[in-house]
């Protein structure tokens, strides 16, 4: 009876004690885990206590996460506001952790909890590393390894009552790293990806105030909106709902008055099979008084057929009126409205001063008749004058129904008569448009196509477009990289350079070293050349890429895949093109129509498996080579491929795909048969070196190559490459031979942290087999139990 009572007491204690739950936002709350119920043994003595099994329970909910940043010259003040909700029936308390951005110089730090100031502690990188390793070894969860080379801020959190909330406000100042006229700001947003639920709201708002003119603003990590308030003030905003961010927020800001380029190059030393490098070039326009806008001609060709009647036609008229209101003083314009016949505002181009009269003429137009695209385009082209850049904005909601209706014949006529100074920008409205015709017109005439789907605002889309092209500064651009051999450069051809914008060029290169880059173009018909000396392309590989370097290969692959898919749609496929699409999409984790299996396939994507997929996709294409050119599917496909080919940042991985595909530190991993596998690993050609999870060799390897931390943080089973060697993390119980680890390279210095398999201090949580206390910075146990 005595033993039965003891058993029941143990069972009750086991059931009522809560387990660990962890939540990460930009900061992390780590609730404490209580002691496990311990056996009450009198006679006979208790056997050794088994390890305390964790009890995964519901995650804390992040109500919102808002970040407001003010950058004044080189000083950045970051304010973080977030609310955590406790959905459980018991109060919770623990520790708050904020990973300090890499290379950040923190000058001040403040923390409030529900408006009350609390004492926080800044941990230097080495001290934080020791705790990270301690926690990983104790909790048997490697998630913190991604931040193993970063410091941290920690503070005690007051208990969060059941069904209650805690608001945490953090403020810190830092001096931003600067290279020449370029500032870089980094915010550790990637910690959000560990939340078990997508975040309800994420907002990052950055206000920039400078004593120097702002030349260019670019985020290599996220798609942001930029509002230039003046030459020295700007506001940047990133906003998303129901997302699980998977990378840090990065921002580049260029200052100065003259034209400039900013070059970033990356050659990945982790993978010896890829001998070439990838580059990103940011072309920033002049902001000085000498950068006078180039007079331009604007031709607006408006579909007024019967199908446009109603709201569509009214929005189109409003868009044309907006353009007329924003013409520069020296610009010229004309308007053509086409249906069965073509109406012209005037027979020739008119001065911007006539805009008011043209707006009155617009009010007389009605939507009726058929769609004669061929004659509308040819009449517009006949008005083009060779001495100015001409921007033809073509709006239509339908297929050709009168005159020449064959798309190939229309394209041939335009190709024959269009002058080289034409830039043609088609806007397809709705689903009944010929995507083949519109995309071909744009691609062959230095423009790009846009698609306005039902429910979207046509007026807003065209107004936003015209804001970007309103003030051309340099046309007919060309780049010369001197002695450096480049290839697969996108975009091709280069677009014009406009005030308030920048051009992002990505490509591949061979060799390396310093070179002279020349940017040539025309200003008002006069040739101009800008020379930039001593531009360095990395010759040696890099083990630890910067946040900007890490996104370059995937951004390049995104654009190339978009380009290849467009070529397949417009000109047809061949085995080599499909092979390139498959290889790139697997290597960089980009889901395409040819690689939807990325989220379903269980086999490793080695060379043999990729060859099988390529053969299957080519056979499928041959069986049905004709693609739809109109309809909802065709329009959506054209719009999606446009997003890829024009991407300014790698497209985010969708929430439902993150369980299968992950990108960390510029490398892509696919979850296959319980293992996160580096897509650069080829099981048919490579052998792995095994290292047991949490073994002494495991931590020695991380100290020798900190770049492996991000890969190892994915889980207990990982295959990752470094210096051409594939390391495979196997279960902790596996018996594997000791590793021979080469000394660290200069780019990855060996840290001085003590090995975690040494005896821990008496107060360490590891001294208590079933306790994780205030020193535990994170657990993220959901990743372990729900994978």
């Amino acid at each position: 009876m005595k033993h039965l009572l003891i058993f029941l007491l143990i069972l009750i204690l086991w059931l009522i004690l809560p387990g660990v739950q962890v939540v990460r936002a930009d900061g992390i709350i780590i609730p404490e885990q209580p002691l496990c119920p311990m056996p009450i043994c009198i006679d006979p003595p208790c056997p050794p206590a088994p390890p305390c099994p964790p009890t995964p329970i519901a995650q804390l909910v992040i109500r919102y996460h808002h970040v407001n940043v003010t950058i004044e010259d080189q000083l950045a003040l970051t304010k973080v506001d977030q609310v955590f909700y406790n959905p459980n029936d018991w109060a919770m308390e623990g520790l708050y952790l904020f990973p300090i951005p890499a290379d950040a110089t923190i000058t001040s730090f403040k923390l409030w909890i529900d408006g009350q100031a609390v004492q926080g502690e800044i941990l230097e990188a080495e001290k934080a590393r020791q705790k990270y390793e301690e926690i990983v070894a104790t909790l048997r969860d490697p998630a913190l390894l991604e931040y193993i080379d970063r410091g941290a801020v920690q503070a005690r959190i007051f208990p969060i009552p059941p069904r209650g909330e805690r608001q945490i406000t953090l403020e810190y100042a830092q001096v931003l790293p600067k290279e020449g006229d370029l500032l870089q700001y980094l915010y550790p947003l990637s910690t959000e990806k560990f939340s078990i639920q997508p975040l309800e709201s994420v907002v990052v708002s950055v206000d920039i105030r400078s004593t120097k003119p702002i030349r260019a603003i670019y985020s290599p990590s996220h798609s942001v909106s930029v509002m230039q308030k003046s030459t020295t003030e700007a506001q940047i905003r990133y906003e998303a709902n129901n997302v699980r961010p998977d990378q840090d927020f990065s921002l580049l800001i260029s200052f100065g008055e003259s034209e400039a380029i900013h070059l970033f190059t990356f050659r990945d030393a982790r993978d010896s099979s890829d001998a070439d490098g990838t580059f990103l070039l940011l072309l920033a326009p002049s902001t000085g008084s000498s950068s006078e806008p180039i007079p331009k001609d604007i031709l607006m060709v408006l579909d007024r057929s019967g199908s446009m009647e109603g709201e569509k036609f009214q929005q189109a008229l409003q868009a044309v009126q907006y353009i007329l209101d924003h013409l520069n003083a020296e610009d010229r314009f004309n308007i053509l409205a086409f249906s069965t016949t073509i109406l012209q505002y005037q027979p020739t181009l008119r001065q911007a001063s006539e805009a008011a009269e043209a707006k009155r003429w617009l009010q007389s137009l009605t939507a009726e008749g058929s769609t004669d695209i061929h004659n509308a385009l040819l009449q517009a082209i006949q008005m083009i004058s060779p001495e100015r850049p001409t921007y033809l904005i073509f709006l239509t909601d339908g297929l050709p129904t009168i005159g020449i209706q064959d798309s190939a014949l229309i394209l041939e006529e335009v190709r024959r008569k269009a002058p080289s100074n034409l830039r043609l920008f088609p806007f397809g409205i709705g689903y009944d448009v010929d995507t083949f015709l519109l995309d071909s017109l744009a691609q062959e005439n230095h423009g790009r196509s846009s698609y306005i789907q039902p429910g979207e605002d046509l007026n807003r889309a065209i107004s936003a477009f015209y804001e970007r092209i309103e003030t051309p500064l340099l046309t007919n651009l060309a780049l010369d990289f001197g002695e450096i051999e480049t290839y697969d450069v996108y975009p091709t051809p280069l677009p014009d350079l406009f005030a308030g914008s920048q051009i992002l060029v990505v490509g591949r290169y061979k060799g390396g070293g310093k070179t002279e880059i020349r940017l040539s173009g025309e200003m008002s018909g006069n040739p101009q050349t800008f020379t930039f000396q001593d531009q360095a392309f990395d010759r040696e590989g890099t083990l630890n890429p910067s946040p900007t370097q890490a996104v370059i290969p995937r951004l390049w692959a995104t654009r190339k895949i978009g380009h290849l898919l467009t070529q397949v749609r417009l000109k047809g496929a061949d085995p080599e093109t499909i092979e390139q699409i498959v290889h790139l999409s697997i290597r960089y984790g980009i889901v395409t129509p040819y690689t939807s299996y990325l989220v379903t396939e269980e086999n490793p994507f080695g060379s043999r498996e990729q060859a099988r997929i390529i053969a299957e996709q080519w056979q499928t294409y041959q069986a049905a080579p004709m693609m739809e050119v109109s309809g909802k599917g065709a329009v959506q496909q054209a719009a999606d491929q446009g997003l890829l080919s024009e991407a300014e940042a790698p497209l985010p991985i969708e929430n439902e795909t993150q369980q299968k595909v992950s990108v960390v530190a510029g490398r892509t991993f696919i979850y296959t048969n319980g293992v996160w596998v580096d897509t650069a690993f080829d099981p048919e050609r490579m052998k792995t070196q095994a290292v047991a999870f949490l073994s002494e060799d495991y931590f020695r390897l991380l100290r020798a190559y900190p770049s492996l931390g991000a890969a190892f943080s994915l889980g207990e089973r990982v295959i990752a490459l470094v210096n051409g060697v594939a390391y495979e993390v196997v279960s902790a119980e596996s018996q594997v031979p000791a590793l021979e680890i080469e000394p660290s390279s200069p780019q990855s210095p060996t840290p001085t942290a003590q090995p975690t398999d040494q005896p821990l201090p008496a107060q360490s949580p590891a001294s208590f087999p079933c306790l994780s206390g205030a020193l535990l910075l994170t657990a993220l146990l959901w990743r372990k139990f729900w994978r």
Side-chain angles (χ1 to χ4, degrees):
M1 184 69 181
K2 176 179 69 175
H3 292 290
L4 177 61
L5 290 174
I6 292 172
F7 172 78
L8 290 175
L9 176 61
I10 293 171
L11 179 62
I12 291 170
L13 287 171
W14 184 264
L15 291 174
I16 65 174
L17 285 173
V20 174
Q21 66 180 15
V22 175
V23 63
R24 283 173 171 247
D26 54 297
I28 306 163
I29 288 185
I30 308 91
E32 296 180 1
Q33 175 178 324
L35 285 167
C36 290
M38 303 302 293
I40 305 174
C41 302
I42 301 174
D43 184 26
C46 289
C52 177
T55 307
I57 54 178
Q59 205 61 8
L60 288 174
V61 176
I62 304 171
R63 293 295 196 199
Y64 64 78
H65 164 204
H66 295 165
V67 184
N68 289 284
V69 186
T70 301
I71 298 176
E72 294 189 5
D73 293 322
Q74 203 172 343
L75 183 65
L77 180 66
T78 301
K79 297 180 180 179
V80 184
D81 181 15
Q82 55 191 140
V83 168
F84 296 93
Y85 169 69
N86 179 12
N88 303 294
D89 295 326
W90 52 85
M92 304 192 70
E93 60 181 314
L95 209 68
Y96 176 80
L97 170 73
F98 181 87
I100 296 175
D103 300 327
T105 303
I106 304 297
T107 59
S108 65
F109 164 75
K110 298 176 183 178
L111 183 69
W112 296 267
I113 300 177
D114 290 340
Q116 299 182 25
V118 299
Q119 184 68 35
E121 178 186 3
I122 296 180
L123 304 178
E124 297 297 332
E126 187 52 43
K127 187 175 181 181
R129 166 190 281 275
Q130 293 177 13
K131 290 199 172 184
Y132 293 155
E133 291 190 353
E134 186 178 291
I135 294 157
V136 168
T138 303
L139 295 183
R140 305 178 66 81
D141 190 308
L144 277 179
L145 295 177
E146 182 171 353
Y147 309 102
I148 202 163
D149 57 350
R150 298 191 189 185
V153 170
Q154 66 176 18
R156 185 76 179 177
I157 298 298
F158 306 142
I160 307 176
R163 315 296 177 188
E165 294 181 344
R166 277 282 176 264
Q167 180 184 25
I168 297 181
T169 307
L170 170 70
E171 178 181 304
Y172 65 92
Q174 66 183 112
V175 177
L176 298 181
K178 184 178 181 182
E179 295 183 12
D181 292 329
L182 191 72
L183 280 184
Q184 299 189 49
Y185 173 80
L186 181 69
Y187 180 78
L189 191 63
S190 66
T191 49
E192 301 281 16
K193 65 186 175 185
F194 296 106
S195 174
I196 194 171
Q197 298 177 0
L199 273 69
E200 297 177 15
S201 172
V202 178
V203 178
V204 180
S205 180
V206 183
D207 286 295
I208 302 174
R209 293 190 287 270
S210 171
T211 55
K212 294 182 178 180
I214 301 170
R215 186 163 41 199
I217 298 170
Y218 169 60
S219 172
S221 59
H222 294 78
S223 178
V224 299
S225 62
V226 178
M227 183 174 67
Q228 193 97 19
K229 296 180 177 179
S230 69
T231 58
T232 58
E233 291 185 274
Q235 185 176 64
I236 299 93
R237 189 173 179 87
Y238 167 74
E239 186 169 358
N241 298 310
N242 191 37
V243 294
R244 185 178 286 118
D246 60 354
Q247 57 185 326
D248 292 341
F249 178 83
S250 178
L251 195 65
L252 304 175
I253 310 159
S254 173
F255 299 96
E257 294 188 350
S258 61
E259 287 77 6
I261 65 171
H262 300 288
L263 176 66
F264 304 87
T265 65
F266 178 48
R267 191 188 295 275
D268 198 340
R270 295 167 293 184
D271 177 15
S272 60
S273 66
D274 188 358
D276 295 342
T278 315
F279 72 88
L280 181 154
L281 187 68
L282 184 63
L283 300 178
S286 168
T287 58
S289 57
S290 61
S291 56
E292 294 296 329
I294 298 172
K296 66 181 183 296
D297 291 338
I298 294 288
L299 287 169
M300 291 161 277
V301 182
L302 170 63
D303 187 343
R304 67 175 192 95
S305 61
S307 59
M308 284 286 290
E309 187 177 15
E311 184 181 5
K312 282 191 293 187
F313 193 60
Q314 292 306 311
Q315 287 186 359
L317 292 178
Q318 292 170 8
V320 174
Q321 290 173 6
Y322 176 89
I323 295 173
L324 291 171
D325 287 336
H326 291 80
L327 292 171
N328 295 322
E330 299 300 319
D331 290 347
R332 298 183 304 196
F333 74 96
N334 206 348
I335 308 168
L336 290 83
F338 70 94
S339 59
T340 306
T341 59
I342 290 89
L343 301 178
Q344 299 178 1
Y345 165 62
Q346 293 290 344
T348 59
L349 291 163
R350 313 307 294 174
Q351 297 297 323
S353 57
E354 289 189 25
E357 184 178 341
K359 288 165 65 176
R360 287 192 292 271
W361 178 80
L362 283 173
Q363 300 308 313
S364 68
L365 297 178
T366 57
E368 57 186 4
S370 302
T371 309
D372 189 352
I373 289 177
H374 171 258
N375 277 325
L377 288 172
L378 291 190
Q379 285 194 29
I381 288 172
Q382 289 173 2
M383 296 183 182
I384 296 175
S385 176
E387 73 271 9
R388 290 186 176 193
T390 299
Y391 300 91
L392 194 160
I393 301 171
F394 178 64
L395 284 70
T396 184
D397 76 333
L399 305 170
T401 59
I402 194 173
I404 295 179
Q405 301 172 43
D406 185 282
S407 297
L409 293 178
I410 295 174
L411 288 170
E412 180 59 33
E413 282 287 294
V414 172
R415 197 176 293 127
R416 226 168 24 89
K417 297 183 178 180
S420 61
N421 61 324
L422 170 64
R423 283 89 172 95
L424 204 161
F425 296 91
F427 284 80
I429 306 166
Y431 296 136
D432 296 325
V433 294
D434 187 336
T435 59
F436 170 78
L437 174 62
L438 299 187
D439 287 348
S440 298
L441 286 170
Q443 190 174 85
E444 295 180 9
N445 294 281
H446 307 284
R448 67 180 185 183
S449 50
S450 301
Y451 293 94
I452 315 302
Q453 301 189 41
E456 296 180 349
D457 192 324
L458 171 63
N459 179 28
R460 181 177 300 177
I462 295 178
S463 300
F465 158 77
Y466 186 74
E467 285 181 0
R468 294 195 299 271
I469 71 160
E470 184 175 349
T471 309
L473 299 178
L474 195 64
T475 61
N476 296 326
L477 272 63
L479 280 168
D480 184 341
F481 292 93
E483 298 178 359
I484 299 296
E485 180 183 350
T486 62
Y487 63 97
D488 284 349
V489 177
Y490 303 100
T492 301
L494 292 175
D496 296 341
L497 187 60
F498 301 93
S501 66
Q502 62 265 340
I503 298 176
L504 197 68
V505 181
V506 292
R508 299 275 286 165
Y509 71 93
K510 298 179 180 292
K514 288 190 176 182
T515 188
E516 176 183 275
I517 296 179
R518 289 184 295 278
L519 171 65
S520 60
E522 293 182 4
M523 288 183 178
S524 301
N526 299 315
Q528 300 285 332
T529 300
F530 304 91
T531 302
F532 305 95
Q533 305 281 350
D534 297 328
Q535 299 298 314
F537 285 76
D538 286 348
R539 189 186 299 275
E540 302 298 329
T542 302
L543 283 175
N544 298 306
S546 69
T548 301
Q549 286 179 313
V551 305
I552 296 174
R554 194 162 186 264
L555 175 58
W556 167 80
T558 299
R559 286 195 174 184
K560 179 166 184 178
I561 287 174
H563 170 77
L564 292 174
L565 289 173
T566 299
Q567 297 308 304
V568 168
R569 186 164 53 85
L570 299 183
K571 300 179 180 179
D574 55 63
E576 291 76 17
T577 301
I578 290 180
E579 179 181 2
Q580 289 186 71
I581 294 172
V582 170
H583 283 325
L584 289 170
S585 59
I586 290 175
R587 179 64 179 270
Y588 297 102
I590 301 168
V591 178
T592 72
Y594 297 99
T595 54
S596 57
Y597 44 76
L598 276 175
V599 295
T600 59
E601 184 70 42
E602 287 299 326
N603 294 324
F605 291 104
S607 54
R608 188 179 307 157
E609 183 67 15
Q610 290 190 35
R612 180 189 66 79
I613 293 169
I614 292 165
E616 288 181 357
Q617 293 299 324
W618 174 240
Q619 291 174 2
T620 301
Y621 175 81
Q622 286 181 306
M626 296 300 294
M627 296 187 180
E628 294 183 352
V629 298
S630 64
K632 183 177 180 179
V635 168
Q636 188 62 59
Q637 185 181 55
D640 290 345
Q641 291 174 9
L643 287 176
L644 290 172
S645 59
E646 298 163 9
E648 293 201 347
L651 300 185
I653 297 175
E654 299 293 335
N655 289 339
E656 59 271 17
T657 308
Q658 289 181 356
Q659 298 297 317
K660 180 71 177 179
V661 180
S662 184
V663 178
V664 292
R667 299 306 292 270
T668 302
F669 291 80
I670 296 178
Y671 193 65
T672 302
N673 294 323
V675 182
W676 283 102
V677 181
D678 191 328
T679 56
F681 173 69
D682 187 344
E684 280 95 37
R685 300 177 181 177
M686 299 179 181
K687 293 185 178 180
T688 62
Q689 292 194 24
V691 55
F693 180 57
L694 302 182
S695 65
E696 180 180 351
D697 278 352
Y698 179 85
F699 288 105
R700 284 203 307 121
L701 188 61
L702 284 169
R703 295 186 193 110
Y705 301 109
S707 61
L708 284 173
F712 284 7
S713 72
L714 291 171
E716 295 184 19
R717 298 291 310 281
V718 178
I719 296 177
L721 272 64
V722 65
N723 278 352
V725 179
Y727 292 100
E728 180 175 6
V729 181
V730 297
S731 66
E733 295 76 22
S734 301
Q735 300 295 318
V736 297
L739 282 180
E740 293 184 7
I741 301 173
E742 297 179 0
S744 301
S745 70
Q747 295 174 333
S748 53
T750 304
T752 57
Q754 296 300 311
T756 55
D757 55 347
Q758 296 298 316
L760 295 169
Q763 68 272 22
S764 166
S767 303
F768 304 95
C770 299
L771 176 64
S772 61
L775 290 180
L776 300 186
L777 300 183
T778 189
L780 303 182
L781 292 171
W782 74 269
R783 299 172 68 238
K784 180 176 179 181
F785 292 94
W786 279 285
R787 181 67 68 194

